[in-house]
Amino acid sequence: MADGHRYMLQPFSNPLAAQYSSSSSIANGLFLNSLLSQLVSEPSSPSRPPVQRSPSQNTRGMYGQNHQQGHNSRLNGAPGGQRGMPMLYGFQQQAAHPHQTHPQHHQAIQADHSSHGPAPNMINHSNFSSGVLSNASPFPGSNMQNGHGVASRGGPQMTEHWADQLRLRKEAERAHIAMTDQQQPQPHYYARLKAPENRGIAASIGPGGSGPAIDGEDDRRRPWSVEKSNKRQDWHNLDMSGQGLRVLSPALFSYEFLQELYIASNQLTYLPSEIGRLRHLRVLEASNNQISELPPEIGMCTNLKTLLLFDNQIRDLPYELGSLYLLEMLGIEGNPLNPVMKQEIMERGTKSLINMLLEQAPVPLPPIPRKAIVVQEDVSPNLERVKVLTWNILCDKYATTSLYGYTPTGALSWNYRKDRIIQEIRDRDADILCLQEIATDVFRDFFSPELAQDDYKGIQWPRPKAKTMSEKDAMAVDGCAVFYKASKWILLDKQLLDYANIAINRPDMKNQHDIFNRVMPKDNIGIICLFESRTTGARMIVANTHLAWEPTLADVKLVQTAILMEHVTKLAEKYARWPALKDKRMIQMPMDPEEAEKRPVMPEPGPSQEYRNNTDIPLLVCGDYNSTYDSSVYELLSMGRVSPDHSDFDDHQYGSFTRDGIEHPFSMRSAYVHLNGTPDELPFTNYVPGFAEVIDYIWYSTNTLEVVELLGPPDRNHLKRVPGFPNYHFPADHIQIMAEFVIKARKDKKMVTEPDFGSGSNNDRRS
């Protein structure tokens, strides 16, 4: 693969050939390195460029490296070919530079709108999420049509952004002329232009590589890199410009890995809604068509940085365009655009227009409520039920516009989100709540008093770094919390697990470098609680945790999970020896008289149940594990063991864990495994652009508990226009998951004496 000529403009034939208006235009350009003067229409694979028949053609003709004439050199102002060909848009090699977000930019936008404000006709009171800004009035013929005359005498000062817009439009016009020249049309203009940029890509992609990395994806809100894939992908760009296309085939949108798509200078009248599937797109060039409107699904392409729509027939822009928070250039000149929007982009730029669309959008219609899915029917009414919910509620200090630029500020504000979170908790009415990213002051001042009205008591621990802060700053540190229905459950014990502190104090680990360099810097925690049912006396262990988020710390997540299960095992052994409670009525948390009056009357407690060993006690292990189903964390919890040479350890040393392996004695299963392979299968628990995976779990002991009902997934149709959470209807970037269990009837072991039938036949058996 070292030969640079093997990554060149490639033919794209089969999926779209039926849609071409000209049979001579079947070969469309896939470009990666340099250019062939003759294209061969071989069947292609999305991950491997088609084989070229005549590599020798790469060095001759107008595409050769020494070419000094033709439209490329004229276009780039380099007569004689003495200078290298520059990129058309000035954004070459962006994939090599991580995207930097600027929260102050959003503040400036908000301040700008507060001082200027949109025009009265800017607001559309439509109740539909796919609404567009109405075309209020025709353009003033003197200076608004096509944006010309902006810098004319007496007119407004031309901004740098608008000057760039006009320059890009001229370049698009040159490209259009080159592709539609009646005497010598030259399609695939952008493939030809970008050929020098892509030369040498073979050297940068090793065996098993995945091509250019997505910039800026590995932030704290994304526990798994979107590019973490073993599947090799050698091309990311597609040029279908100048082909006379009238319709884009659905087959095109199966290439979801595309980062650049060029469909300029065709005869397209619309973009299909399937465009929303291309969520990796950075560049979309659709200038010089006949497009009259954009589909709302364009808002799903949240990685777009350049969207060029010069010289079309677009009058209005959908509100969903406001989700494109990374967009740097919206090329809209040459369209009969709404004057209000035209003025906004001319005076304040693309970012301001996108932010206006985001903030002015009406609240979309709510999705269909998540339904309950029955897993087990005909459950005995004599069995005790327990309903458990786990949810990462997104701490307010992490909910910033730099991380969630696709979310309107109204939906991102804590004052809005906290009310929605409380309402959803009340609607679910679970017996046990396991919450993550809940700050100490929020727990104390908001959740505790609010949930007390619904019969909940709770405990919370912040992450250990709170110990190093002032009292005021420590109150803002997030952690984990467990709430429980006080009328149903008694809290017998609670334990905090500080993973880093436990690890560095283990005799087999305290002198190992990886503990200090990798585990100790992470201040994740776990909580273990022991409950007893007021009605039946059944005891239950509930664990809640939030593991490290970094995709590069799979070994640390495994160590944290190992410590969690090690302590669950030891505490379960301790709890199995605890005697029955003599007087449960005395086990009450102190409360003032007014609060006591609001409490429901507690039922007469039943006798405590006793357990012979640690695996007999019902066990629930909940939380945000930041680990997918193919991780070692999932393997440990579901299989009960991880070998010492597991790939996630990656040659790091962690005492007995990497010497002997890790194991626990419980038979555990994820509650939602019951939906796998069904239409109700849970597609994700964390949903942001670039990442949608299940990383939150409710694990249960299969010998003591049985799943009878699960909370189903969100409405899939609603998600077709939702690029990520949070939004007005989903107040966190995670969704809550909930399962209802029954505690299985216990089979007490009794001594049975059988009759004596002679010598050797007198046996005592346990049943």
Side-chain angles (χ1 to χ4, degrees):
M1 293 292 182
D3 183 3
H5 294 299
R6 297 191 63 182
Y7 294 85
M8 303 175 179
L9 179 64
Q10 304 297 343
F12 185 83
S13 57
N14 296 339
L16 303 175
Q19 305 294 342
Y20 289 179
S21 60
S22 172
S23 60
S24 63
S25 301
I26 292 181
N28 291 283
L30 294 177
F31 50 85
L32 284 201
N33 231 1
S34 58
L35 191 64
L36 291 178
S37 59
Q38 298 293 329
L39 298 179
V40 185
S41 183
E42 298 284 354
S44 61
S45 166
S47 62
R48 178 176 57 84
V51 178
Q52 305 304 323
R53 293 180 178 176
S54 303
S56 61
Q57 294 175 347
N58 298 333
T59 58
R60 58 187 176 84
M62 64 177 292
Y63 313 123
Q65 297 180 7
N66 298 322
H67 171 61
Q68 299 182 6
Q69 297 179 359
H71 75 279
N72 284 335
S73 57
R74 294 195 303 271
L75 172 61
N76 290 288
Q82 299 301 314
R83 291 189 296 169
M85 187 182 304
M87 276 290 292
L88 179 61
Y89 305 126
F91 53 81
Q92 64 268 35
Q93 304 298 335
Q94 284 187 357
H97 301 283
H99 172 68
Q100 299 180 359
T101 53
H102 302 280
Q104 64 270 23
H105 171 74
H106 296 270
Q107 297 172 5
I109 291 176
Q110 295 170 13
D112 191 36
H113 280 294
S114 64
S115 60
H116 296 86
N121 62 356
M122 188 67 199
I123 301 177
N124 186 336
H125 296 284
S126 169
N127 291 325
F128 297 98
S129 63
S130 59
V132 295
L133 296 176
S134 59
N135 188 6
S137 60
F139 285 105
S142 58
N143 64 350
M144 287 299 293
Q145 183 67 31
N146 293 329
H148 297 301
V150 175
S152 61
R153 185 167 46 193
Q157 182 70 30
M158 178 181 292
T159 65
E160 181 179 352
H161 181 276
W162 191 251
D164 288 341
Q165 173 116 180
L166 298 180
R167 176 181 58 81
L168 292 177
R169 187 197 178 197
K170 288 182 178 179
E171 293 180 355
E173 288 175 347
R174 294 192 188 102
H176 179 66
I177 293 172
M179 287 185 284
T180 58
D181 188 334
Q182 294 182 357
Q183 295 182 353
Q184 190 179 4
Q186 298 177 0
H188 307 302
Y189 173 88
Y190 299 98
R192 303 166 190 270
L193 190 68
K194 290 175 64 68
E197 174 198 354
N198 289 318
R199 184 175 295 119
I201 194 172
S204 65
I205 302 179
S210 60
I214 303 261
D215 50 319
E217 290 293 344
D218 284 347
D219 58 45
R220 78 161 305 279
R221 304 311 315 160
R222 288 155 179 77
W224 204 266
S225 172
V226 73
E227 286 293 309
K228 183 178 174 64
S229 173
N230 293 326
K231 181 179 179 181
R232 175 167 175 164
Q233 181 55 54
D234 292 342
W235 58 275
H236 299 82
N237 313 331
L238 174 59
D239 185 4
M240 300 167 58
S241 58
Q243 296 296 303
L245 300 178
R246 299 180 182 273
V247 178
L248 296 177
S249 168
L252 167 65
F253 305 103
S254 64
Y255 292 155
E256 297 179 5
F257 53 81
L258 284 176
Q259 296 182 18
E260 298 182 8
L261 177 61
Y262 298 87
I263 51 176
S265 301
N266 286 299
Q267 301 179 38
L268 302 174
T269 57
Y270 69 96
L271 293 179
S273 60
E274 289 84 359
I275 190 72
R277 295 175 57 186
L278 304 183
R279 302 195 65 178
H280 291 257
L281 272 185
R282 269 62 174 163
V283 178
L284 177 58
E285 164 60 282
S287 300
N288 292 288
N289 281 285
Q290 301 170 25
I291 299 171
S292 59
E293 62 180 3
L294 298 177
E297 288 77 8
I298 191 72
M300 299 293 285
C301 303
T302 50
N303 282 307
L304 270 175
K305 292 186 176 181
T306 303
L307 174 59
L308 302 183
L309 302 164
F310 297 120
D311 294 291
N312 279 283
Q313 301 298 319
I314 299 172
R315 294 181 177 273
D316 300 301
L317 299 174
Y319 283 117
E320 286 79 359
L321 208 65
S323 298
L324 306 185
Y325 67 110
L326 297 179
L327 194 65
E328 298 171 355
M329 174 57 70
L330 173 62
I332 202 67
E333 172 67 334
N335 288 271
L337 189 64
N338 181 312
V340 175
M341 288 185 277
K342 184 73 172 282
Q343 182 178 4
E344 184 70 20
I345 193 171
M346 288 175 63
E347 295 182 359
R348 300 180 181 90
T350 293
K351 291 285 187 182
S352 182
L353 175 59
I354 294 301
N355 189 71
M356 176 185 292
L357 291 168
L358 178 69
E359 299 298 341
Q360 294 294 329
V363 176
L365 295 175
I368 298 173
R370 296 171 65 184
K371 65 179 182 178
I373 300 172
V374 177
V375 176
Q376 195 71 250
E377 298 180 350
D378 301 326
V379 178
S380 171
N382 298 324
L383 297 178
E384 184 171 18
R385 291 182 176 237
V386 55
K387 189 185 297 184
V388 181
L389 178 147
T390 184
W391 194 6
N392 183 327
I393 63 171
L394 178 57
C395 185
D396 180 40
K397 66 181 177 182
Y398 303 139
T400 64
T401 53
S402 61
L403 291 177
Y404 302 95
Y406 51 87
T407 303
T409 54
L412 198 58
S413 72
W414 178 240
N415 285 334
Y416 176 82
R417 293 199 304 112
K418 69 180 182 179
D419 292 336
R420 286 304 309 268
I421 291 169
I422 283 289
Q423 188 58 51
E424 290 205 26
I425 289 175
R426 287 172 172 158
D427 291 343
R428 305 304 176 198
D429 194 32
D431 299 315
I432 306 291
L433 305 174
C434 294
L435 304 181
Q436 303 88 43
E437 289 197 17
I438 178 169
T440 301
D441 55 356
V442 170
F443 170 83
R444 182 194 65 184
D445 301 333
F446 180 71
F447 280 96
S448 289
E450 283 290 326
L451 291 176
Q453 303 175 29
D454 301 281
D455 188 33
Y456 286 105
K457 291 181 180 179
I459 60 170
Q460 184 261 3
W461 268 292
R463 290 184 289 136
K465 72 175 184 179
K467 299 176 183 178
T468 65
M469 299 179 173
S470 65
E471 182 178 356
K472 179 180 179 181
D473 293 337
M475 294 299 292
V477 176
D478 67 289
C480 296
V482 176
F483 287 90
Y484 59 97
K485 285 289 185 74
S487 62
K488 295 182 178 181
W489 299 93
I490 299 170
L491 178 64
L492 300 182
D493 190 37
K494 58 184 184 292
Q495 298 290 331
L496 168 67
L497 301 184
D498 178 350
Y499 297 130
N501 186 56
I502 293 172
I504 62 176
N505 285 289
R506 286 174 60 108
D508 61 331
M509 295 186 185
K510 62 181 181 181
N511 295 323
Q512 293 185 329
H513 296 294
D514 289 327
I515 287 294
F516 288 91
N517 295 334
R518 298 180 66 80
V519 177
M520 192 176 71
K522 306 308 299 179
D523 61 344
N524 302 94
I525 63 170
I527 298 176
I528 300 176
C529 300
L530 176 64
F531 294 101
E532 182 172 311
S533 169
R534 291 186 179 274
T535 305
T536 66
R539 292 180 174 177
M540 181 174 63
I541 300 172
V542 176
N544 179 25
T545 191
H546 188 188
L547 302 186
W549 66 267
E550 293 89 338
T552 57
L553 296 182
D555 56 315
V556 175
K557 299 176 195 182
L558 179 55
V559 169
Q560 291 174 343
T561 307
I563 292 174
L564 171 66
M565 295 309 299
E566 188 176 68
H567 280 72
V568 167
T569 303
K570 292 179 180 179
L571 286 171
E573 292 173 353
K574 173 184 174 181
Y575 297 152
R577 298 191 298 267
W578 276 20
L581 295 177
K582 299 296 184 180
D583 187 1
K584 299 181 193 176
R585 290 173 296 183
M586 299 302 296
I587 303 177
Q588 297 287 346
M589 296 181 68
M591 63 181 72
D592 56 48
E594 293 184 1
E595 184 180 357
E597 293 179 359
K598 299 177 183 178
R599 291 283 185 181
V601 177
M602 299 298 180
E604 186 68 22
S608 301
Q609 295 188 25
E610 298 181 10
Y611 300 89
R612 285 186 170 85
N613 55 63
N614 57 359
T615 59
D616 286 346
I617 307 176
L619 172 64
L620 291 164
V621 181
C622 308
D624 176 1
Y625 291 83
N626 281 317
S627 304
T628 53
Y629 73 93
D630 56 351
S631 65
S632 57
V633 168
Y634 191 100
E635 181 179 339
L636 174 60
L637 291 168
S638 61
M639 304 300 293
R641 176 173 172 77
V642 165
S643 63
D645 59 350
H646 195 284
S647 60
D648 277 0
F649 279 128
D650 194 25
D651 296 328
H652 299 294
Q653 298 300 313
Y654 296 114
S656 62
F657 293 165
T658 50
R659 184 181 65 246
D660 306 322
I662 309 170
E663 60 182 22
H664 65 78
F666 303 98
S667 172
M668 299 181 67
R669 181 181 295 175
S670 170
Y672 276 81
V673 75
H674 295 278
L675 299 184
N676 289 352
T678 72
D680 295 314
E681 183 174 4
L682 194 67
F684 57 77
T685 60
N686 181 210
Y687 183 52
V688 292
F691 184 84
E693 293 285 351
V694 173
I695 58 175
D696 304 81
Y697 303 94
I698 300 175
W699 296 93
Y700 70 98
S701 52
T702 59
N703 62 312
T704 58
L705 296 167
E706 189 171 13
V707 179
V708 296
E709 191 173 279
L710 293 167
L711 179 62
D715 177 20
R716 284 178 169 79
N717 289 328
H718 177 78
L719 296 177
K720 290 179 179 178
R721 295 182 180 178
V722 177
F725 299 155
N727 61 23
Y728 283 109
H729 303 301
F730 294 88
D733 56 345
H734 291 245
I735 60 172
Q736 71 271 35
I737 56 176
M738 185 174 70
E740 186 170 12
F741 301 89
V742 291
I743 300 177
K744 290 182 177 181
R746 298 182 62 190
K747 298 179 180 179
D748 293 328
K749 298 179 180 180
K750 300 178 181 180
M751 189 72 71
V752 178
T753 302
E754 296 186 352
D756 187 357
F757 292 103
S759 177
S761 299
N762 190 3
N763 300 314
D764 288 338
R765 297 182 180 177
R766 296 178 184 274
S767 60

